[in-house]
Amino acid sequence: MSDFIEQCRSEWRRLGVPDPLAEEMASDLASDLSDAAADGVSAEELLGSSAFDPRSFAASWAAERGIIPAAPGRRNARRRPLVLVAFTALAALALIVAALLLLTGRPTVAVAVSRATGARLPTAPPAFFVPPGPSRQVLHTSAAAPVAWLLLFLAIVALGFAAWLWSSWGRSRPPSVPA
Amino acid sequence: MRDKGVGATMRDMVVGSQRRTELLRGVLDLCLLAVMNEEPAYGYEMTKRLRERGLAIVGEGSIYPLLGRLERDGLVETYRAASDGGPMRKYYRPSSTGRLALALGVSEWRAARDAVDAVLAPVKVEVIHE
């Protein structure tokens, strides 16, 4: 059992548990294991399945006492939905704003395609110009349109990303068990 | 064919020890608060008191992390004192918040137990061994 306690000490040291607290836990555990052995009680009866995994036992004990931060998975599991909800709501808001900008504004975008035939392009000054080639495109637009289109694009990408995050979160969630 | 069906069903069901583990997991904190409420106790002493009442915690994991959580949540107070002729031990007793939590928990447990009893009590099952 001294090996078990030594492994616990080692884990507490690795996790940054202050020495006095680690010593207190190790001392209590050693006394209890000693008493149990004197009563003919095995370490497994006292520690349950933890008797076979000293490092997890040590980490769990320190975390439950609040000496070290809880395992990231557990905290994130509670925090992640809130972050995801906020992110999804923001993306949806951006989508709505972009759609409103595009729907309520004047027609602001026109695309003209000219093959390499020398056809004249519309007279309005182009906002974007693609270098000449076999075909070329000129996008005529107002100053506001690129922002709206960019916002729409970003919102769609963000919503797709949010959907992926939700599905990945749903898959990674541990089954709920009684505390 | 019928026997095979029953066997498969039984295999699919949670076996007794696992069910006991799941049931105990939800109330082990109450049991610890209850035994230390009778008299302050250190870790192994609590395990002994539980075992004396037929509540072996094998398979439930250790009580130590649970005691740590009760301490962190302010449900227990601790102090160090020498055990009977032994080394200094960390004794636990419920704080005032812990006693309130115990009272509420016992009430919830009784309500849940009565509701489950109401469903399960009328069941009469006869198991025939062949």
Side-chain angles (χ1 to χ4, degrees):
Chain A
M1 266 304 107
S2 62
D3 183 51
F4 183 90
I5 293 167
E6 276 315 304
Q7 288 196 53
C8 288
R9 280 186 206 272
S10 166
E11 184 66 7
W12 287 324
R13 202 174 304 120
R14 190 186 71 79
L15 294 170
V17 174
D19 285 345
L21 290 175
E23 189 51 44
E24 177 197 289
M25 291 190 286
S27 165
D28 287 337
L29 185 59
S31 299
D32 283 358
L33 285 168
S34 172
D35 282 3
D39 289 347
V41 175
S42 69
E44 189 185 351
E45 284 176 274
L46 181 64
L47 300 173
S49 53
S50 304
F52 306 108
D53 191 357
R55 290 186 180 277
S56 293
F57 166 75
S60 167
W61 191 1
E64 292 293 359
R65 281 191 67 177
I67 299 170
I68 58 168
R74 291 184 61 189
R75 248 182 209 181
N76 286 348
R78 284 194 293 268
R79 206 164 31 195
R80 199 169 178 189
L82 292 177
V83 175
L84 271 180
V85 167
F87 180 74
T88 309
L90 199 63
L93 184 68
L95 183 71
I96 291 167
V97 169
L100 284 176
L101 278 174
L102 290 168
L103 289 173
T104 58
R106 288 175 303 173
T108 51
V109 177
V111 177
V113 177
S114 169
R115 297 195 178 280
T117 56
R120 293 179 71 93
L121 291 165
T123 54
F128 298 115
F129 183 73
V130 179
S135 68
R136 51 183 184 163
Q137 291 185 343
V138 178
L139 181 65
H140 301 278
T141 177
S142 73
V147 176
W149 281 107
L150 184 64
L151 190 62
L152 182 69
F153 174 74
L154 289 177
I156 290 170
V157 170
L159 278 175
F161 185 56
W164 177 78
L165 286 176
W166 277 114
S167 70
S168 120
W169 177 72
R171 281 195 305 271
S172 65
R173 255 175 80 186
S176 60
V177 292
Chain B
M1 181 68 186
R2 182 171 159 268
D3 286 346
K4 190 178 178 184
V6 171
T9 304
M10 291 303 288
R11 276 195 299 277
D12 288 344
M13 290 177 70
V14 181
V15 294
S17 62
Q18 286 174 313
R19 189 190 305 285
R20 189 181 164 88
T21 296
E22 294 299 322
L23 289 172
L24 184 53
R25 191 174 292 165
V27 291
L28 189 53
D29 56 343
L30 286 180
C31 294
L32 291 174
L33 284 170
V35 294
M36 69 176 81
N37 191 47
E38 295 166 355
E39 192 181 347
Y42 53 88
Y44 177 60
E45 205 172 12
M46 281 184 248
T47 307
K48 272 204 300 190
R49 288 184 194 174
L50 292 175
R51 192 183 295 110
E52 283 164 7
R53 293 164 201 199
L55 209 55
I57 59 164
V58 178
E60 330 309 331
S62 165
I63 64 167
Y64 298 95
L66 190 47
L67 287 172
R69 191 193 311 168
L70 293 174
E71 185 178 5
R72 184 195 63 197
D73 293 343
L75 298 179
V76 297
E77 296 168 345
T78 64
Y79 61 93
R80 297 194 79 80
S83 55
D84 299 335
M88 295 289 282
R89 311 300 283 263
K90 183 176 185 176
Y91 281 83
Y92 295 81
R93 66 184 169 208
S95 63
S96 54
T97 312
R99 282 192 294 275
L100 179 62
L102 175 60
L104 292 173
V106 168
S107 171
E108 287 168 0
W109 162 256
R110 286 177 181 154
R113 181 201 58 192
D114 290 347
V116 173
D117 274 352
V119 174
L120 299 183
V123 176
K124 290 183 173 60
V125 179
E126 188 178 356
V127 179
I128 300 168
H129 296 281
E130 294 181 359

